[in-house]
Amino acid sequence: MTDTGTSRPVGSILRDWRERRRLTQLGLSSQSGVSARHLSFIETGRARPTRAMIIRLSECLEVPLRQRNTMLLAGGHAPAYPQNRLPDAPMSAVNDAINRILDAHTPYPAVVVDRHWDLVAGNPAVEVLTAGSAPHLLEPPVNVLRLSLHPDGMAPRIANLGQWRGHLLARLHREADATADPELAQLVDELRGYPGEEEIGETDTSALLVPLRIRTDGAELSMFSTTTVFGTPRDVTLAEIAIESFYPSDSATADFFRR
């Protein structure tokens, strides 16, 4: 697991990210335009990278903004990326855009989640999906993946639980590996410990998307989801926000939500 703390030298942290991206020093040199010799000096502590150099290399390695700030601090520099809360004044336009997206998606469900899949906001249609879940799973902070797969949550109502579980766990594993976030890694282990088998891949290879099929009010709803993120974020909070929107897969599901 990559150490994102500031107790280690910046060169050691940089090496971990390079290895996580499965790049040699020569490969990173080719991408960044920095000589392999200089990269070696940085990684071994023989050269102290400038602020611009750390940003340049972290961009090539696709290091998340939060961890880029950590690398800068480890290198003796001030963080480059602010972290504002959505209610803060600098984020007012973004917050307004998120609320517009949620409102416009009604009557279908949509949620806003942070980097750990904790619920930030949602529209009223989400209650159709969470109905019947245990109160302790609905207490803030609500983790939407835990709520989905927990036996006291949505899991008993998901008709294709194995398929949906396999889809969510595979996605979460990729995110944990890409971000080196220990909390995501712990969440993967927790969710894998829940009852049920996960199906790898789609059982219907002709299907275009993995559906969420959930039972409610004597009906079985079928939906697919899309993920919306903000392009070219320069704020840590903004970079870690995603909007998950659910759409009906068939006319019966669309009619249910419209009613």
Side-chain angles (χ1 to χ4, degrees), residues 110-137:
V111 295
V112 182
V113 295
D114 64 16
R115 75 188 194 279
H116 293 142
W117 287 85
D118 287 339
L119 182 68
V120 175
N123 65 9
V126 174
E127 295 179 5
V128 174
L129 303 182
T130 62
S133 298
H136 70 89
L137 293 172

Side-chain angles (χ1 to χ4, degrees), residues 226-250:
T226 64
T227 303
T228 302
V229 296
F230 289 91
T232 61
R234 305 297 292 178
D235 178 275
V236 173
T237 299
L238 190 55
E240 296 173 345
I241 282 178
I243 303 173
E244 295 287 320
S245 304
F246 290 85
Y247 293 85
S249 299
D250 53 45

Side-chain angles (χ1 to χ4, degrees), residues 6-254:
T6 57
S7 60
R8 296 175 57 203
V10 64
S12 176
I13 298 174
L14 174 65
R15 182 181 63 247
D16 279 359
W17 279 105
R18 176 179 60 76
E19 292 175 347
R20 177 170 289 275
R21 298 300 185 238
R22 297 176 175 84
L23 281 174
T24 62
Q25 288 181 346
L26 187 60
L28 180 56
S29 172
S30 177
Q31 288 191 17
S32 64
V34 179
S35 73
R37 176 183 173 86
H38 189 52
L39 287 174
S40 177
F41 282 2
I42 292 175
E43 290 186 1
T44 57
R46 295 177 64 186
R48 181 176 181 270
T50 64
R51 174 185 171 94
M53 177 64 72
I54 293 174
I55 292 175
R56 180 178 182 178
L57 294 174
S58 64
E59 286 178 347
C60 290
L61 292 170
E62 297 182 348
V63 178
L65 300 191
R66 181 180 297 273
Q67 284 87 340
R68 293 185 196 183
N69 279 344
T70 298
M71 290 176 66
L72 286 164
L73 287 170
H77 307 287
Y81 307 94
Q83 183 177 356
N84 297 288
R85 299 178 307 145
L86 280 177
D88 293 345
M91 301 280 272
S92 59
V94 172
N95 198 30
D96 181 62
I98 290 173
N99 290 329
R100 287 177 180 271
I101 291 172
L102 293 177
D103 291 343
H105 197 65
T106 304
Y108 308 124
V111 295
V112 182
V113 295
D114 64 16
R115 75 188 194 279
H116 293 142
W117 287 85
D118 287 339
L119 182 68
V120 175
N123 65 9
V126 174
E127 295 179 5
V128 174
L129 303 182
T130 62
S133 298
H136 70 89
L137 293 172
L138 299 173
E139 295 175 358
V142 177
N143 185 276
V144 300
L145 297 188
R146 181 179 295 116
L147 179 61
S148 296
L149 300 182
H150 197 285
D152 294 333
M154 295 165 53
R157 296 171 49 227
I158 298 178
N160 61 330
L161 180 59
Q163 184 185 38
W164 188 247
R165 173 187 168 94
H167 162 67
L168 291 185
L169 287 176
R171 179 176 175 182
L172 182 59
H173 179 77
R174 289 193 299 270
E175 292 180 1
D177 184 63
T179 62
D181 190 319
E183 289 192 40
L184 286 183
Q186 291 172 9
L187 185 59
V188 171
D189 292 339
E190 176 189 339
L191 299 185
R192 282 193 170 143
Y194 292 167
E197 298 294 329
E198 59 189 85
E199 296 178 10
I200 306 301
E202 300 181 45
T203 54
D204 179 6
T205 56
S206 66
L208 300 177
L209 297 162
V210 177
L212 169 63
R213 292 166 38 218
I214 188 165
R215 306 179 190 95
T216 182
D217 293 341
E220 184 176 294
L221 307 179
S222 180
M223 293 165 283
F224 63 88
S225 67
T226 64
T227 303
T228 302
V229 296
F230 289 91
T232 61
R234 305 297 292 178
D235 178 275
V236 173
T237 299
L238 190 55
E240 296 173 345
I241 282 178
I243 303 173
E244 295 287 320
S245 304
F246 290 85
Y247 293 85
S249 299
D250 53 45
S251 58
T253 300

